Amino acid sequence: MEENNTPAAMQDNQSVEGQDSQEAQPKKKRGGFTSKIGFVLAAAGSAVGLGNIWRFPYLAAKYGGGIFLLTYIILAVTFGFVLMVAEIALGRKTGMSAINAFKKLNKKWAFLGVLCAIIPIIILPYYSVIGGWVGKYFFTYVSGGGMSAAGDSFFNGFISSPWQPLLFFFIFVSVVFVVVLFGVEKGVEKVSKFLMPALVVLTIGVTIYTLTMPGSAEGIKYYLLPDFKKFSVKTVLAALGQLFYSMSLAMGIMITYGSYMKKQDKIESSVHQIEIFDTGIALLSGLMIIPAAYAFSGGNPETLGQGPGLMFVALPKVFANFGSVGGGILGALFFALVLFAALTSAISLMETVVSIVIDKFHLSRKKSSVIVYVGTLLLGIPSSLGFGVWSAVSVGGMTILDMFDFLSNSILMPIAALLTCVFIGYVVGCRNLTDEIELNGPFKFKKFFNVMIKYVCPICIAAILITSILDVFGVFSI
Ligand code: PFF
């Protein structure tokens, strides 16, 4: 992409020109992606991040390996496909970002735009806490401490210390803030065209290595072969939340991206490409991390249940096999690339939140950025401290970070997705959107889309949500 094509960056132009111009003259003042591939790359750039590399493997490990993988893939090609098509079409049809798109089509549904806006506000702080952890590992490797990172107590020692995780979190958010404030995403995006493929190549290399490690075979089986006994509603809820998170769905992001898509570009095939890219990287990351964790724990499944720390514990042990120099270089390179992927996603999250503040409160871009920066720092502190000095604060065994994660991914996003389906299926009518999709050729999955949006998605999401909420309140156990 030659131009700064992130929706948020384009939104910025619009905010400078006139904050509420979005509603008055949506088509005139908006920029656009210059090509379909530009659109796909920008959307995939926002989608690929810590969700794929850090979150997917630990959820797959926790929720039964193969059965989680299978559930995820089924949900991706059904719910994921339909929702991404719907959001992009909604954005392109209205020419507006989420907060105004729903309102434009029906005033009474303005609240759904607000709900979508709340979700990135919740995600950004704790996403940055994990980004800080990645920063710490990068720093450790660069300063020659790679071998110590492979030690058993390194990760827990780090996250439970009071200051260090906070310091790295502050640095991470500050870098994101500086990029957003000075609007230099263009540079970041240019570099990302090289660094993202480098990350994929390195991940493939490390995966090939871990797959040949003694003891990894059991882990490969665990990850790839579904064990139906491990299936439960919780598996579906976790996979669904992960799907939304990873593909940046149910939080208005894809609506904004769609609003900048050209009318002559094909929505359906773009969605296929984004999905293949995003899911491919997630599956690969699981294949890299889970067998490694298995091999190093002597096949102890308990290790797999360790949650957010999985990547940070398993990979340094893999790198340590290459000795202090080779492992040091490998570790530094790997964490540098993951850090970069985390930064690009966090930048797109912060851009989104900043443009919400600009639109809602009519503040300048500078003021809005500072407010979002300070807010992110304040909201992230509890998540960071929740592994150390505030570890006593927990609900149902969840740390503070887990609570934010659960609230956004397992409660708010499914609700937003459910309401989006109801809105499209029963308020706007599927026809309105399928017409938009068919502007440049037939929509192959039109019937499937209609049935999914009107019946399958809302009913299934409602059922999953209700059962899991009843489970949380102990009405019955699933
Ligand atoms: N999809 C990103 C990931 O998987 O890491 C997370 C994310 C980034 C969500 C940017 C939303 C967003 F705007």
Side-chain angles (χ1 to χ4, degrees):
M1 280 161 288
E2 296 316 316
E3 299 165 25
N4 187 0
N5 272 338
T6 57
M10 289 187 274
Q11 215 154 13
D12 177 35
N13 301 336
Q14 152 197 318
S15 319
V16 173
E17 285 169 40
Q19 283 139 2
D20 244 353
S21 58
Q22 208 172 347
E23 265 197 272
Q25 293 165 292
K27 299 271 152 51
K28 236 185 180 172
K29 294 203 173 181
R30 290 175 88 84
F33 291 102
T34 42
S35 62
K36 184 180 155 211
I37 188 69
F39 171 76
V40 170
L41 282 177
S46 156
V48 175
L50 290 172
N52 310 62
I53 306 158
W54 155 76
R55 199 171 187 272
F56 181 86
Y58 96 69
L59 285 187
K62 186 171 165 188
Y63 290 98
I67 192 66
F68 180 86
L69 190 68
L70 181 68
T71 312
Y72 185 86
I73 293 173
I74 294 175
L75 290 176
V77 295
T78 52
F79 287 50
F81 168 75
V82 164
L83 272 163
M84 194 180 279
V85 167
E87 287 197 13
I88 293 175
L90 200 61
R92 194 171 75 173
K93 185 175 175 60
T94 55
M96 290 174 174
S97 58
I99 208 147
N100 292 321
F102 294 104
K103 193 157 109 195
K104 176 176 179 184
L105 294 173
N106 189 312
K107 280 231 150 43
K108 284 195 193 131
W109 282 74
F111 75 93
L112 187 47
V114 177
L115 176 63
C116 283
I118 292 172
I119 296 169
I121 296 175
I122 297 175
I123 293 181
L124 178 61
Y126 84 81
Y127 197 86
S128 304
V129 170
I130 310 290
W133 295 359
V134 178
K136 158 75 182 178
Y137 273 69
F138 170 64
F139 180 76
T140 304
Y141 275 93
V142 168
S143 54
M147 291 313 255
S148 67
D152 282 335
S153 53
F154 184 85
F155 178 71
N156 281 331
F158 162 61
I159 57 164
S160 58
S161 68
W163 293 111
Q164 274 217 34
L166 275 184
L167 175 70
F168 282 96
F169 159 66
F170 271 50
I171 297 173
F172 185 89
V173 182
S174 304
V175 171
V176 175
F177 167 65
V178 167
V179 172
V180 170
L181 185 67
F182 293 106
V184 288
E185 298 89 333
K186 188 174 174 177
V188 174
E189 246 178 58
K190 278 204 172 133
V191 189
S192 98
K193 272 202 273 188
F194 302 101
L195 294 188
M196 293 305 272
L199 176 65
V200 176
V201 171
L202 191 65
T203 307
I204 294 175
V206 177
T207 308
I208 293 172
Y209 177 76
T210 59
L211 294 186
T212 56
M213 263 173 9
S216 66
E218 276 307 303
I220 300 171
K221 263 197 227 154
Y222 177 80
Y223 181 55
L224 293 181
L225 297 180
D227 174 356
F228 290 91
K229 284 196 285 297
K230 295 203 169 100
F231 183 80
S232 77
V233 179
K234 276 185 186 155
T235 321
V236 187
L237 183 68
L240 195 68
Q242 171 61 18
L243 177 74
F244 296 150
Y245 186 89
S246 184
M247 291 188 186
S248 310
L249 291 174
M251 48 181 130
I253 308 265
M254 286 298 157
I255 300 182
T256 310
Y257 272 87
S259 70
Y260 295 101
M261 191 187 198
K262 279 199 175 147
K263 292 279 182 195
Q264 62 264 35
D265 288 340
K266 291 202 164 101
I267 294 181
E268 195 178 7
S269 58
S270 304
V271 170
H272 287 313
Q273 287 163 7
I274 300 165
E275 276 211 308
I276 291 171
F277 202 65
D278 188 72
T279 310
I281 295 185
L283 302 194
L284 193 64
S285 303
L287 200 57
M288 168 174 72
I289 291 170
I290 294 176
Y294 227 84
F296 287 115
S297 64
N300 176 9
E302 294 269 297
T303 330
L304 296 177
Q306 64 177 290
L310 192 68
M311 171 180 97
F312 297 96
V313 173
L315 287 182
K317 291 187 194 291
V318 175
F319 301 145
N321 278 2
F322 290 85
S324 75
V325 177
I329 295 172
L330 202 57
L333 200 61
F334 180 82
F335 282 107
L337 294 173
V338 176
L339 186 58
F340 190 78
L343 279 171
T344 53
S345 286
I347 289 165
S348 105
L349 272 168
M350 193 183 270
E351 277 284 9
T352 307
V353 179
V354 167
S355 48
I356 291 167
V357 174
I358 292 175
D359 280 358
K360 274 282 128 194
F361 303 104
H362 305 294
L363 294 173
S364 73
R365 179 177 173 77
K366 205 168 173 187
K367 268 195 197 135
S368 308
S369 305
V370 173
I371 291 172
V372 173
Y373 173 55
V374 174
T376 305
L377 287 179
L378 293 178
L379 278 176
I381 290 172
S383 289
S384 182
L385 293 181
F387 292 92
V389 276
W390 286 358
S391 58
V393 184
S394 92
V395 173
M398 286 191 278
T399 62
I400 300 175
L401 188 143
D402 286 333
M403 281 189 253
F404 280 116
D405 188 85
F406 182 79
L407 175 66
S408 61
N409 300 329
S410 299
I411 310 253
L412 297 180
M413 283 181 186
I415 293 177
L418 168 70
L419 292 174
T420 305
C421 291
V422 173
F423 178 71
I424 295 170
Y426 301 95
V427 180
V428 180
C430 288
R431 179 74 195 275
N432 256 314
L433 287 198
T434 50
D435 282 353
E436 176 72 32
I437 299 159
E438 285 178 319
L439 278 181
N440 41 30
F443 179 19
K444 274 194 232 137
F445 287 94
K446 184 168 160 179
K447 275 214 176 104
F448 175 73
F449 178 85
N450 288 343
V451 174
M452 287 294 293
I453 289 281
K454 285 184 92 160
Y455 310 107
V456 183
C457 291
I459 294 172
C460 292
I461 298 175
I464 296 163
L465 256 176
I466 293 168
T467 11
S468 55
I469 288 172
L470 292 181
D471 176 58
V472 170
F473 289 106
V475 177
F476 67 82
S477 181
I478 44 177

